[in-house]
Each structure stands twice: as C-alpha cells, then as structure tokens.
C-alpha cells in the first residue's frame, strides 16, 4: 500500500532531520545666641534694678530667638509610614517570585499562578501613598507589572472548545519537551482526536511528516505521491495523506495534509505548516507559541 511510485510531485526542502544526523531595579544660631552678651544693666548701686532699668536683649539676639522658636517640630506625615514601606517590599518580593515561576512555567495552571502574583503585587503598589519616598518608583513599577499581568493572563486563558467549527487558533499555546534527539526537542502531538504520538520539533521543516507506523495505526490511505530531499542529498518519492485533525494545547488544525516519511525515519516531524503565524520560544522544558 505504502510503496513509492516513480511519479514526481512537488520538491520539499527540509532541515536535514530526515536522516536524524543533526537533528531585566540652627545649631550655629544657638551658638551665636549663647555667645551674645545682653545689654549692660543700669550702673545704679541698687541690688534690685527697677523694671525700667533692667537689661534688654539686643535686636540681633531677639531676632535669633524668634527664628529658633519658629522652627516647626517633625510631624508624623513627614516620616515614612511603616505600613507603606512593608507594602512596597512585599510587592517587590511577589514580583520576584512571579518572574522566577514564569521562567519555567509549562502549563496554563503555572501561568495562572504567575498572574495571581502580579495582581497581588499591583494591589500592594497602589497602597503606597504620595507622601512615601517610594511613591515614584512604585508608580513606575505599577505600569510594568500591569503589562506583565496582561501577558500572563493571555497565557493562562483556557483553550477554545473543540466544538467550534474550523481550525482553532488560540493567542497562546505550549507543549512540554519530553526529551531530545541530537539536540532536537521531542514533543507529543494528538492526531484525529484519539491518538498521541511523539514528534520531533524543528523550525526548519516546512511540512509535517509522520512515520509509516503512525499512518498504519490511524488507517490512513495514500492520496498521492511527492518527492523530498533527504540528508545525503538524494531525492526520494513518498506518499501524501491527510489527517482529520492535529492538536497541541488548544491549537487545532483540521483536514491537514501530511507526508509519510521514508522507512528509515523512526519518528515523525512537526513542520511549519502546523504552527505558521506564531512566534516560538523554546525553553528548557517547554516550547511556547504566541500568535503574531
């Protein structure tokens, strides 16, 4: 059934994986006053000078006394509120935690936790009063955290329901990395809504290839023949067929045409025809796709 035909189809250029060879966060006044001599008292020998002849302070001494007495004491509003400082510090701690979790987040549940921490940090920053020395920094970080929260919410959004007609194109989807072959990630893909198979992920492949074992397991029928170039440069004829659907974490593509790889290829290859239109981030344990 899966014997290649000599007829020639469209040439498909791959990244060379078919052979698996390579697969930012007034003391001075007081002293002057003390050294200033009061005006000389009356020279009357009377031991008790009359009020009219009593010594009076000079104009300079009086001015200094007025200046000193006019200084206002510190008021509570001029001091940093302990509650405001604690709220700011707690917000910074939450932000650090959200950043750490986001680096290894591999599921929508992980991103939901990240979003909740950004939200709590934002709520705390909003309580920092304008009288606080940290108010300006808090306002700047508030704008940053709100952007991070919006991104985390997108990543935490549940995938669309499969009952919707046509292809499903969520804003974000991801897939865990199960392992590697010669540095190329291995992921799991769902076929026809019923079976899951391991596939290689390589951004250089422009079409999706499945193994003959997958084709036989899903009882797929040949629908034509095309040609592909393998790692050694040889061009070989292969069968084409179609799937009812392929899916990864809410990204679902229906009636997808795929190529059945040569027998020497023991594992399938996910091509650009499945994730076209998405920006890709490959982390240590997960691959993320964000819609352009």
């Amino acid at each position: 059934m899966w014997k290649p035909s000599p007829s020639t189809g469209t040439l498909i250029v791959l990244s060379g994986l078919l052979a698996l060879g390579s697969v930012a966060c007034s003391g001075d006044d007081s002293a002057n006053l003390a050294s200033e001599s009061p005006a000389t008292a009356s020279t009357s020998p009377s031991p008790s000078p009359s009020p009219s002849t009593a010594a009076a302070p000079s104009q300079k001494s009086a001015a200094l006394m007025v200046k000193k007495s006019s200084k206002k004491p510190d008021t509570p509003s001029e001091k940093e509120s302990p509650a405001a400082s604690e709220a700011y510090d707690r917000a910074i701690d939450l932000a650090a935690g959200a950043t750490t979790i986001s680096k290894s987040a591999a599921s929508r549940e992980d991103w939901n936790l990240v979003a909740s921490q950004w939200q709590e940090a934002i709520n705390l920053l909003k309580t920092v009063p304008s009288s606080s020395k940290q108010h300006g920094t808090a306002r700047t970080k508030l704008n940053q955290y709100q952007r991070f929260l919006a991104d985390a919410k997108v990543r935490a959004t549940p995938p669309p329901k499969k009952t919707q007609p046509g292809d499903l194109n969520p804003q974000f989807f991801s897939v865990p990395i199960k392992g590697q072959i010669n540095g190329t990630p291995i992921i799991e893909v769902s076929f026809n809504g019923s079976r899951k198979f391991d596939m290689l992920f390589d951004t250089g492949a422009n079409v999706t290839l499945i193994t003959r074992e997958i084709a036989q397991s899903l009882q797929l029928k040949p629908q034509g023949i095309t040609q592909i170039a393998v790692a050694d440069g040889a061009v070989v004829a292969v069968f084409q067929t179609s799937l009812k659907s392929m899916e990864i974490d809410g990204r679902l593509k229906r009636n997808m045409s795929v190529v059945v790889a040569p027998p020497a290829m023991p594992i399938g290859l996910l091509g650009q025809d499945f994730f076209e239109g998405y920006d890709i981030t490959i982390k240590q344990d997960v691959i993320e796709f964000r819609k352009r």
Side-chain angles (χ1 to χ4, degrees):
M1 172 194 265
W2 294 101
K3 293 182 178 181
S5 165
S7 60
T8 302
T10 303
L11 178 61
I12 300 175
V13 179
L14 303 178
S15 63
L17 286 172
L18 294 176
L20 298 182
S22 299
V23 187
C25 147
S26 28
D28 293 337
D29 292 342
S30 299
N32 292 334
L33 184 59
S35 61
E36 184 74 19
S37 299
T40 305
S42 171
T43 56
S44 171
S46 172
S48 300
S50 65
S52 61
T53 60
S58 68
Q59 290 183 352
K60 182 177 181 181
S61 297
L64 289 172
M65 292 175 65
V66 170
K67 180 177 180 181
K68 183 175 181 180
S69 62
S70 64
K71 183 179 179 181
K72 295 181 180 179
D74 289 342
T75 59
S77 61
E78 293 176 339
K79 297 181 179 179
E80 183 69 22
S81 168
S85 180
E86 290 176 6
Y88 178 84
D89 292 341
R90 175 59 178 160
I92 298 302
D93 289 342
L94 286 166
T99 300
T100 299
I101 298 172
S102 66
K103 291 180 180 179
S104 59
S107 67
R108 297 180 186 275
E109 289 74 17
D110 293 339
W111 284 107
N112 191 54
L113 176 60
V114 172
S116 67
Q117 294 209 189
W118 284 124
Q119 184 64 71
E120 187 175 352
I122 288 171
N123 293 340
L124 287 168
L125 289 180
K126 288 180 178 180
T127 67
V128 178
S130 58
S131 59
S132 171
K133 63 182 181 181
Q134 296 163 325
H135 177 72
T137 304
R139 299 305 300 180
T140 299
K141 290 186 176 297
L142 182 60
N143 293 331
Q144 296 174 344
Y145 293 1
Q146 287 172 335
R147 292 197 301 270
F148 297 152
L149 172 61
D151 179 72
K153 283 184 175 180
V154 168
R155 297 167 187 255
T157 302
K161 296 181 179 180
K162 299 178 185 179
T163 55
Q164 295 181 12
D167 296 344
L168 301 181
N169 306 297
Q171 286 292 120
F172 174 86
F173 69 95
S174 64
V175 59
I177 296 175
K178 298 180 65 176
Q180 292 185 346
I181 295 180
N182 295 332
T184 302
I186 300 173
I187 62 175
E188 189 174 72
V189 182
S190 177
F191 291 82
N192 291 351
S194 59
R195 299 291 302 277
K196 293 183 178 181
F197 297 94
D198 288 345
M199 301 277 283
L200 290 173
F201 178 81
D202 181 15
T203 58
N206 57 359
V207 296
T208 295
L209 290 87
I210 63 174
T211 64
R212 294 195 174 191
E213 288 74 17
I214 293 176
Q216 292 171 355
S217 176
L218 297 175
Q219 299 181 351
L220 303 177
K221 297 180 180 181
Q223 296 179 347
I225 296 176
T226 188
Q227 291 183 331
I228 60 174
V230 295
D232 60 4
V235 176
V236 298
V238 291
F239 288 103
Q240 287 181 311
T241 188
S242 63
L243 297 164
K244 292 180 180 178
S245 67
M246 285 181 62
E247 180 190 5
I248 296 177
D249 189 34
R251 165 57 170 160
L252 185 145
K253 198 165 184 179
R254 293 184 171 94
N255 302 318
M256 184 170 174
S257 179
V258 296
V259 173
V260 181
M265 187 170 182
I267 186 171
L269 176 66
L270 186 69
Q272 298 175 10
D273 50 355
F274 178 78
F275 54 82
E276 184 178 5
Y278 285 84
D279 290 325
I280 304 162
T281 301
I282 301 178
K283 296 184 177 180
Q284 182 176 352
D285 301 314
V286 66
I287 302 174
E288 298 180 342
F289 304 80
R290 188 181 180 92
K291 197 171 183 180
R292 296 192 186 112

